[in-house]
Amino acid sequence: MAEPTPTNTLDDAAEEALSPAFVRSVVDAVDRADKTLVRQLVLPLRTADLAELLELLRPDERQDLVEMLGTDFNPEVLSELDESVRDHVIELLDPKDLAAALTEMDSDDAVYLLEDMDEAEQRLILDQLPASERAALEQSLDYPEYSAGRLMQRELVAVPPHWDVGQTLDYLREAEELPHEFYEIFVVDPAYKPVGTVPLSRVTRSKRPVLISEIMETEQTLIPVEMDQEEVALQFTKYDLISAAVVDEGGRLVGVVTVDDIVEVISEEAAEDIRLLAGLGEESISDSVLQTSRSRVPWLMVNLVTATLAAAVIALFDATIEKMVALAVLMPIVASMGGNAGTQTMTVTVRALATRDLVHFNARRTIAREFFVGVLNGMIFALILGGLSALLFGNEWLGAVFAGAIMINLVVASLTGILIPLGLDKLGADPAVSSAVFVTTMTDVVGFFSFLGLAALILFY
Amino acid sequence: MAEPTPTNTLDDAAEEALSPAFVRSVVDAVDRADKTLVRQLVLPLRTADLAELLELLRPDERQDLVEMLGTDFNPEVLSELDESVRDHVIELLDPKDLAAALTEMDSDDAVYLLEDMDEAEQRLILDQLPASERAALEQSLDYPEYSAGRLMQRELVAVPPHWDVGQTLDYLREAEELPHEFYEIFVVDPAYKPVGTVPLSRVTRSKRPVLISEIMETEQTLIPVEMDQEEVALQFTKYDLISAAVVDEGGRLVGVVTVDDIVEVISEEAAEDIRLLAGLGEESISDSVLQTSRSRVPWLMVNLVTATLAAAVIALFDATIEKMVALAVLMPIVASMGGNAGTQTMTVTVRALATRDLVHFNARRTIAREFFVGVLNGMIFALILGGLSALLFGNEWLGAVFAGAIMINLVVASLTGILIPLGLDKLGADPAVSSAVFVTTMTDVVGFFSFLGLAALILFY
């Protein structure tokens, strides 16, 4: 694991910029306190590469590196860092430098940095800003977390519909307070309500006298400022948007969300679903042992309770097991097949809810489908497992009990796999958070109960 | 479940366009064969909404709807559909109309539609195209599946560095074969190798005499045409790209990948990881019972084999269980705690590998961290469970055996949870595909073996 080999797939991504050899040489230079070499290696890096490097370093090395870079440290790196690393680097910087950097950023990036700081840190930085910018940032921070208002930038290009392309181009050349980059121009009425959108490429492809109203798209996706970012991402994905106008309750244009922020949101939300399905908190690879343990113990504790519930079901039948130890051998198979089948259905359901492929209109049909899938797969595995166990233990009644329990558990698995996430969604809870524990508890309990119960009833009654 | 209620969260997304009531009224009109009403309801829909509607309908209703729309059916809808629904709709369309639609699309959308068809269907459509377009599409289809070559569009804007802004704007206004929309202009040398990129907004903000070479970014992310789409998506995410130049082996510009395709790739790849971790094939909510069953049986079959392996371990100790049935009651808890802890570590590792947060440089450190997390969590739960079981069964030796097995299994869970995905990645396999089955088999086998083995050794030796 120590020496990188050329055939290795781990580092395919970072081929040029951050090869293991490069990282190693930076670390060596930092450890030797060779400031000149460190700066020579690190200063030409692109922002995202410097962020990646900082995440790879140990905290003490990271501190040394930031100090060696001094005022040449580019604060734009901050918005690319993992939360725990970002907190660390922010501590290392002078609030004055940080405030100066914020004024240079588009407002969405500035908000992104500020929102994760605690109250005192935020104050410290905001107090260094000019009043107008401070007010604007404070207003953005007033929007709910994970809302479009936090995601949007205030810098945008808006023109009236009666302008022509020539006027618009002249305005773009002269105006001061424009975003760093933009891809669409918003067309607004005198009340600043959006009436259309023009892709910038269409502006450049039209002759100067053409009116904006002639080339604008009137079919637009307006994002309410309070909309949850997951919902915003769904709109972008569905309509293939590059940017979208954000409007307040009065329908007035207040900002713009761009697709680069949405790419971030989509990655984060998918990662969150994956984490939640596996019972993980917000953890990243750069967390410490204690942080990691603390994030994982709660879920293991929940699992302890549910596993104990399943054990209690087994304890009900200890007399039955005593009569035939083969039951203890086979029972985990019933539970495990049910758990897997339930997880399959649950995963499909949670994803389909997240992407809105599962809606009211097709809910009933989908539940019916899952039921029949459970029956079909139940029959397949009941036949296989019942037959095999009857042969192996020379006891066809044991085979029948095993087959019956598998059948019951796979149908229950299918139904709970879809009904539990649907129910949680209906209650307004995130189905990714808690579905897994309900589903596997259900399949464990039903698996043990049906198998041992059938055995007690049929084999020993 | 049948009647939509206003407080419901299921349909928040589709508030205006596709409310359950709207879908219901379309279905009613289709069932009554009221062509006029159907067309009146459906024709104003945006492409993405029509796609969503088609996915919600039953196959027979879908066919009726497409036939009622006739030549007004917008073929751009096709690229927004789920695969099984897309296949169905393509069958309903005339190959001639389909070919005509393809010539109107940007080349990446055309390739996207063609690549999923079988050889014969492709031929049928390609033969309807003009020779030059056919050749271009055939060349795109020659690139490996899931490569940048399949994802890119050939239509792009490229200018020489010695042009000025005025010349560039004039060219944009005059040129015929430009993409529908574009966000960046690529700057190429006489050999058509990219030397820089200019965001379109910078072109519009510069005066006509300014040279392109003065305003271009020379720091660019070039995408090799053979690069895997997951890798391309990582580059876009890392460097916040809107579009990127694709180059052939000779370094010549051959196409451009835009962020809207990448948004799709990111969603798909994350969904794929989620599916693979749960043991699911490529399935969607619109699949039939048989398709769904067929996609899920293989994984359940694998699980059957591994569960049988675990059962075989238990069978080794049937004499021990016969002496103390409490062992059969407690053993699923050991396996289940290990399974959960292993899944947590595995999920973090698979994600970190996918996002390149886990690379060679920090692999050893991360393994050590997981080991210590396993030891720490092992101690916590060994104390709780050992103590409780000693009290409950009035047998401190049983408690000690239980605690020892929990400790062993949580450490093994942590280590296999990281080492198995790392190992699979090193072998060039996708760690999401098969990690889960290895990890849970390991924790089941080790859980049962350590618990029953320690019991046999300590309680009855």
Side-chain angles (χ1 to χ4, degrees):
Chain A
M1 186 89 344
E3 281 305 303
T5 60
T7 54
N8 203 289
T9 59
L10 259 179
D11 295 299
D12 279 359
E15 50 234 4
E16 335 80 12
L18 280 189
S19 68
F22 175 84
V23 176
R24 176 57 52 211
S25 62
V26 173
V27 171
D28 286 346
V30 170
D31 290 347
R32 285 197 320 269
D34 184 345
K35 191 168 161 180
T36 321
L37 180 57
V38 167
R39 294 171 56 93
Q40 189 184 320
L41 289 169
V42 169
L43 286 179
L45 286 180
R46 294 168 71 168
T47 337
D49 290 319
L50 177 51
E52 208 169 294
L53 177 66
L54 287 168
E55 285 172 3
L56 286 174
L57 297 183
R58 285 204 320 264
D60 57 318
E61 296 166 340
R62 194 183 300 142
Q63 173 163 7
D64 290 346
L65 175 60
V66 171
E67 280 165 7
M68 287 181 199
L69 295 181
T71 53
D72 288 326
F73 178 81
N74 175 357
E76 272 178 42
V77 169
L78 291 172
S79 56
E80 314 261 350
L81 291 171
D82 272 355
E83 192 170 339
S84 65
V85 178
R86 184 166 66 232
D87 288 347
H88 180 217
V89 176
I90 284 177
E91 278 169 36
L92 302 173
L93 298 176
D94 183 344
K96 221 171 251 156
D97 293 342
L98 213 51
L102 283 187
T103 60
E104 290 298 308
M105 294 181 191
D106 278 337
S107 59
D108 57 335
D109 292 328
V111 169
Y112 181 76
L113 282 188
L114 283 169
E115 66 185 359
D116 278 337
M117 299 182 184
D118 61 39
E119 200 77 22
E121 276 181 309
Q122 269 186 14
R123 239 356 330 139
L124 201 64
I125 309 245
L126 283 170
D127 286 345
Q128 307 276 347
L129 294 175
S132 67
E133 258 181 83
R134 183 168 64 228
L137 285 177
E138 280 170 346
Q139 201 187 336
S140 293
L141 288 169
D142 276 347
Y143 291 120
E145 220 181 343
Y146 308 119
S147 68
R150 289 281 185 100
L151 214 55
M152 72 184 188
Q153 61 181 53
R154 290 165 179 283
E155 300 84 2
L156 53 80
V157 182
V159 301
H162 57 79
W163 277 19
D164 63 23
V165 167
Q167 264 173 301
T168 307
L169 283 176
D170 293 343
Y171 164 72
L172 292 178
R173 288 192 184 125
E174 310 293 321
E176 296 273 314
E177 284 285 293
L178 293 187
H180 287 125
E181 281 186 31
F182 51 94
Y183 320 103
E184 284 175 321
I185 291 179
F186 299 101
V187 188
V188 289
D189 69 10
Y192 226 67
K193 291 184 183 169
V195 294
T197 317
V198 195
L200 192 55
S201 56
R202 201 174 299 169
V203 175
T204 61
R205 302 208 57 199
S206 305
K207 300 222 185 282
R208 289 183 65 95
V210 173
L211 282 182
I212 289 294
S213 58
E214 291 171 44
I215 55 171
M216 74 185 185
E217 298 275 350
T218 52
E219 192 171 68
Q220 26 174 10
T221 307
L222 300 179
I223 308 285
V225 73
E226 306 267 345
M227 186 183 258
D228 186 81
Q229 62 174 15
E230 197 167 356
E231 195 54 54
V232 180
L234 281 170
Q235 299 286 321
F236 267 74
T237 314
K238 185 173 173 187
Y239 298 116
D240 290 341
L241 306 177
I242 295 296
S243 63
V246 180
V247 291
D248 65 14
E249 306 90 76
R252 280 178 304 270
L253 182 65
V254 290
V256 56
V257 175
T258 51
V259 70
D260 53 317
D261 299 319
I262 293 303
V263 166
E264 201 81 2
V265 170
I266 292 174
S267 304
E268 269 170 27
E269 297 281 348
E272 194 189 349
D273 276 3
I274 294 178
R275 278 203 318 268
L276 291 174
L277 285 170
L280 288 163
E282 286 225 15
E283 67 169 81
S284 82
I285 206 91
S286 46
D287 288 351
S288 71
V289 171
L290 271 178
Q291 285 170 319
T292 309
S293 167
R294 206 179 313 138
S295 114
R296 296 191 195 168
V297 163
W299 184 255
L300 292 175
M301 205 61 93
V302 171
N303 183 59
L304 185 155
V305 174
T306 66
T308 307
L309 193 65
V313 173
I314 302 174
L316 287 180
F317 297 96
D318 54 355
T320 314
I321 295 175
E322 221 152 19
K323 287 186 210 144
M324 190 192 266
V325 178
L327 297 175
V329 173
L330 296 179
M331 65 184 189
I333 300 182
V334 181
S336 146
M337 293 297 288
N340 268 272
T343 303
Q344 289 181 330
T345 304
M346 176 197 72
T347 305
V348 172
T349 308
V350 166
R351 282 308 294 172
L353 282 169
T355 56
R356 316 277 182 205
D357 287 326
L358 179 57
V359 290
H360 247 105
F361 184 78
N362 57 356
R364 195 188 276 208
R365 193 195 311 160
T366 312
I367 294 169
R369 190 196 61 168
E370 286 300 334
F371 173 75
F372 288 117
V373 171
V375 171
L376 184 58
N377 289 356
M379 289 195 310
I380 293 172
F381 287 97
L383 277 175
I384 297 175
L385 284 166
L388 281 179
S389 59
L391 282 176
L392 206 63
F393 291 89
N395 182 342
E396 62 273 28
W397 285 108
L398 179 60
V401 165
F402 197 26
I406 288 279
M407 182 76 212
I408 293 173
N409 210 20
L410 287 202
V411 173
V412 168
S414 271
L415 285 178
T416 50
I418 184 162
L419 291 176
I420 287 176
L422 272 176
L424 287 168
D425 183 81
K426 208 173 173 108
L427 295 172
D430 182 346
V433 186
S434 25
S435 289
V437 64
F438 286 122
V439 171
T440 52
T441 306
M442 196 70 182
T443 52
D444 275 1
V445 166
V446 170
F448 292 134
F449 191 84
S450 59
F451 182 56
L452 298 174
L454 283 175
L457 219 64
I458 294 177
L459 298 176
F460 303 109
Y461 195 62
Chain B
M1 187 91 341
E3 281 307 303
T5 60
T7 54
N8 202 290
T9 59
L10 260 178
D11 294 300
D12 279 0
E15 50 235 5
E16 334 81 9
L18 281 188
S19 68
F22 176 83
V23 176
R24 176 55 52 208
S25 61
V26 173
V27 170
D28 287 345
V30 169
D31 290 347
R32 285 198 319 269
D34 184 345
K35 191 168 161 182
T36 321
L37 180 57
V38 167
R39 293 171 58 92
Q40 189 184 321
L41 288 169
V42 170
L43 286 178
L45 286 179
R46 293 168 73 168
T47 336
D49 290 319
L50 178 52
E52 211 169 292
L53 177 66
L54 287 168
E55 285 172 3
L56 285 175
L57 297 183
R58 284 204 320 264
D60 56 318
E61 296 166 339
R62 195 184 298 140
Q63 175 163 4
D64 290 345
L65 176 60
V66 172
E67 279 164 9
M68 287 181 200
L69 295 180
T71 52
D72 287 328
F73 178 82
N74 176 357
E76 271 178 43
V77 169
L78 291 171
S79 56
E80 313 262 350
L81 291 172
D82 273 357
E83 193 171 336
S84 64
V85 178
R86 186 167 62 231
D87 288 348
H88 180 217
V89 176
I90 284 177
E91 279 169 36
L92 302 174
L93 298 177
D94 181 346
K96 222 170 249 156
D97 293 343
L98 213 51
L102 283 185
T103 59
E104 290 298 307
M105 295 180 190
D106 279 338
S107 58
D108 56 336
D109 292 328
V111 169
Y112 181 76
L113 282 187
L114 284 170
E115 67 185 358
D116 279 337
M117 299 181 184
D118 60 40
E119 200 77 24
E121 277 181 308
Q122 271 186 15
R123 233 11 315 145
L124 200 66
I125 309 243
L126 284 170
D127 286 345
Q128 308 276 346
L129 294 176
S132 68
E133 260 182 81
R134 184 168 62 229
L137 285 177
E138 280 170 346
Q139 201 187 337
S140 293
L141 288 169
D142 276 346
Y143 291 119
E145 220 181 343
Y146 308 117
S147 69
R150 290 280 185 104
L151 214 56
M152 72 183 188
Q153 61 182 53
R154 291 166 178 281
E155 300 84 2
L156 53 79
V157 183
V159 301
H162 57 80
W163 277 18
D164 64 24
V165 166
Q167 265 173 300
T168 306
L169 283 176
D170 294 342
Y171 164 71
L172 292 179
R173 287 191 185 127
E174 310 292 321
E176 296 273 316
E177 285 285 293
L178 292 187
H180 287 124
E181 282 188 29
F182 51 93
Y183 320 103
E184 284 177 320
I185 291 179
F186 299 101
V187 189
V188 289
D189 69 12
Y192 224 70
K193 291 185 184 169
V195 295
T197 316
V198 195
L200 192 56
S201 56
R202 202 175 296 169
V203 175
T204 62
R205 302 207 58 197
S206 304
K207 301 221 184 285
R208 289 184 64 95
V210 173
L211 283 181
I212 289 294
S213 58
E214 290 172 47
I215 55 172
M216 72 185 187
E217 299 276 349
T218 51
E219 192 170 68
Q220 27 174 9
T221 307
L222 299 179
I223 308 285
V225 72
E226 306 267 344
M227 187 183 257
D228 185 81
Q229 63 173 14
E230 196 166 357
E231 195 55 54
V232 180
L234 281 169
Q235 299 286 320
F236 267 74
T237 314
K238 184 172 173 186
Y239 296 117
D240 290 340
L241 305 178
I242 295 296
S243 63
V246 180
V247 291
D248 64 14
E249 307 88 77
R252 278 178 307 269
L253 182 64
V254 290
V256 54
V257 175
T258 50
V259 71
D260 52 317
D261 299 319
I262 293 303
V263 166
E264 201 81 2
V265 170
I266 292 174
S267 303
E268 270 170 27
E269 297 281 349
E272 194 190 350
D273 275 4
I274 293 178
R275 278 203 317 270
L276 291 174
L277 285 171
L280 289 163
E282 287 225 15
E283 68 169 78
S284 83
I285 206 91
S286 46
D287 288 351
S288 71
V289 171
L290 272 178
Q291 284 171 320
T292 309
S293 167
R294 205 180 311 138
S295 114
R296 297 191 194 168
V297 163
W299 184 254
L300 292 176
M301 205 62 93
V302 171
N303 184 58
L304 186 155
V305 174
T306 65
T308 306
L309 192 66
V313 174
I314 301 174
L316 287 179
F317 295 97
D318 54 356
T320 314
I321 295 175
E322 220 151 22
K323 287 186 211 144
M324 189 192 265
V325 179
L327 296 176
V329 173
L330 296 179
M331 66 184 188
I333 300 183
V334 181
S336 150
M337 293 298 288
N340 268 272
T343 303
Q344 290 181 329
T345 304
M346 176 197 72
T347 305
V348 172
T349 307
V350 167
R351 281 307 294 172
L353 282 169
T355 56
R356 317 278 181 204
D357 286 327
L358 179 56
V359 289
H360 246 106
F361 184 78
N362 57 356
R364 195 187 277 208
R365 193 196 310 159
T366 311
I367 295 169
R369 190 197 60 166
E370 286 299 334
F371 173 76
F372 288 116
V373 170
V375 170
L376 184 58
N377 290 356
M379 289 196 310
I380 293 171
F381 287 97
L383 277 175
I384 296 175
L385 285 166
L388 281 179
S389 59
L391 282 176
L392 207 63
F393 292 88
N395 181 342
E396 63 272 27
W397 284 107
L398 178 61
V401 165
F402 197 26
I406 289 279
M407 183 75 211
I408 292 173
N409 210 21
L410 288 202
V411 173
V412 168
S414 272
L415 285 177
T416 50
I418 185 163
L419 291 177
I420 286 176
L422 272 176
L424 287 169
D425 184 81
K426 209 175 171 105
L427 295 172
D430 182 346
V433 186
S434 26
S435 288
V437 63
F438 285 122
V439 170
T440 52
T441 305
M442 196 70 182
T443 52
D444 275 0
V445 167
V446 170
F448 292 134
F449 191 85
S450 60
F451 182 56
L452 298 174
L454 283 175
L457 218 66
I458 294 176
L459 298 175
F460 304 109
Y461 196 63

